[in-house]
Amino acid sequence: GKIIRHPICSIRLSKLNSMDLASYRDERLQTVVPASVVMELSLISHAIDTARKEWGVYLPENVVKKVSKPRIGRGRDRRLLSGEEHQILKASSESQNHYFRPLIILAIETAMRRGELLKLKWEDIDLEKQVAHLEMTKNGSKRDVPLSKRAKEILSAMPHCINGRVFPLTEDSVKGLWSRLSKRTGIYDLRFHDLRHEATSRLFEKGLNIMEVSAITGHKDLRMLKRYTHLRAEDLAKKLG
């Protein structure tokens, strides 16, 4: 969606050059992480390849391949330490906002992104089938997320807001709530997004394979999930004795 609205899309393919793409890359790096920029450049590259091979558009080369891609860091590996889940849930239960604690629990139980949770509507949730349907996600595709018994119990007990949203909160309000939680608990190095990493790690620990986990988390690039596979290797080592 962001690419389509960007001025780079108004440039004719025959006129598109590496300077345009380098400028686009540097501009996007100001607002999104390197992994997102790499994915966007890959989408543009795929479009150019499709135009050359299938649409009969004459282009001497794919200019995206002349542009250096930003280096993707290994990513944060911050997991909840012993007792931290209890601490943050206790602190969030003392918050004046009654949606904050359920939001944290759903993040840990489903591996959904903060934005996905905040867009969730009651009409998207089927408690009988234990599934939450995400119509539009960060990577532009639909996804059905299975709900654990704990997630179902939390959702069943939640009040319904008149606007139909499960969590009638804004991104800024969640940031503020998390900041105050950090002060109350003294846990300053934990971010809300780390809950997604925790949730993903737990899925692997339950024995799910990389394809099953990606179906739940929505990771399109399986390389992003490979860093979690050491969890399974450790389990296998224990079985080997």
Side-chain angles (χ1 to χ4, degrees):
K2 288 278 174 67
I3 301 176
I4 294 172
R5 294 191 293 271
H6 195 277
I8 198 169
C9 285
S10 63
I11 304 172
R12 292 177 66 90
L13 280 178
S14 58
K15 301 283 187 182
L16 187 67
N17 60 48
S18 56
M19 287 179 64
D20 296 322
L21 290 163
S23 177
Y24 172 82
R25 174 201 62 204
D26 296 341
E27 179 192 325
R28 291 294 287 146
L29 283 171
Q30 300 299 313
T31 54
V32 297
V33 297
S36 295
V37 179
V38 169
M39 187 175 291
E40 290 173 11
L41 289 173
S42 295
L43 284 171
I44 296 171
S45 179
H46 177 69
I48 292 172
D49 281 339
T50 303
R52 295 175 73 206
K53 295 173 184 176
E54 298 182 17
W55 300 343
V57 177
Y58 174 72
L59 296 168
E61 61 183 345
N62 185 335
V63 290
V64 178
K65 292 171 181 174
K66 295 174 69 176
V67 180
S68 60
K69 294 179 176 64
R71 189 173 179 181
I72 300 175
R74 189 170 180 270
R76 282 172 62 85
D77 284 331
R78 179 65 161 89
R79 291 199 61 179
L80 292 173
L81 304 176
S82 178
E84 284 188 338
E85 183 173 351
H86 175 74
Q87 279 182 273
I88 63 174
L89 290 181
K90 183 176 184 297
S92 61
S93 67
E94 295 165 359
S95 169
Q96 291 184 342
N97 193 303
H98 302 301
Y99 291 99
F100 190 38
R101 184 174 183 273
L103 180 73
I104 291 172
I105 293 174
L106 260 290
I108 295 171
E109 290 295 312
T110 66
M112 286 190 210
R113 301 175 178 92
R114 180 178 59 197
E116 292 169 347
L117 287 162
L118 297 184
K119 287 178 184 174
L120 205 57
K121 294 182 179 179
W122 284 109
E123 65 190 50
D124 302 323
I125 293 174
D126 188 330
L127 288 177
E128 191 175 330
K129 292 181 179 177
Q130 291 187 218
V131 171
H133 176 69
L134 301 179
E135 183 63 27
M136 183 56 70
T137 65
K138 183 182 175 184
N139 56 29
S141 59
K142 301 175 184 179
R143 179 164 106 250
D144 286 326
V145 180
L147 300 171
S148 65
K149 182 181 177 183
R150 187 186 185 198
K152 181 182 177 181
E153 288 172 353
I154 289 296
L155 287 166
S156 299
M158 282 179 64
H160 287 221
C161 182
I162 196 167
N163 67 8
R165 285 169 56 204
V166 179
F167 298 103
L169 302 166
T170 64
E171 295 268 357
D172 286 340
S173 64
V174 174
K175 288 176 184 176
L177 288 165
W178 190 263
S179 177
R180 289 190 287 277
L181 179 141
S182 297
K183 289 176 183 175
R184 282 200 296 271
T185 59
I187 305 171
Y188 290 100
D189 64 332
L190 184 71
R191 304 174 188 171
F192 187 91
H193 190 73
D194 291 330
L195 301 181
R196 178 166 157 84
H197 175 79
E198 177 67 28
T200 305
S201 299
R202 291 184 184 187
L203 291 173
F204 276 109
E205 287 171 343
K206 286 177 181 176
L208 276 68
N209 64 44
I210 198 165
M211 296 304 294
E212 291 169 330
V213 172
S214 70
I216 296 171
T217 64
H219 283 95
K220 273 192 171 181
D221 188 347
L222 297 186
R223 289 175 298 180
M224 301 288 284
L225 285 174
K226 279 190 176 178
R227 64 196 179 100
Y228 293 93
T229 54
H230 71 279
L231 299 166
R232 305 298 305 127
E234 288 173 11
D235 291 345
L236 290 171
K238 288 173 186 174
K239 289 180 181 179
L240 290 172

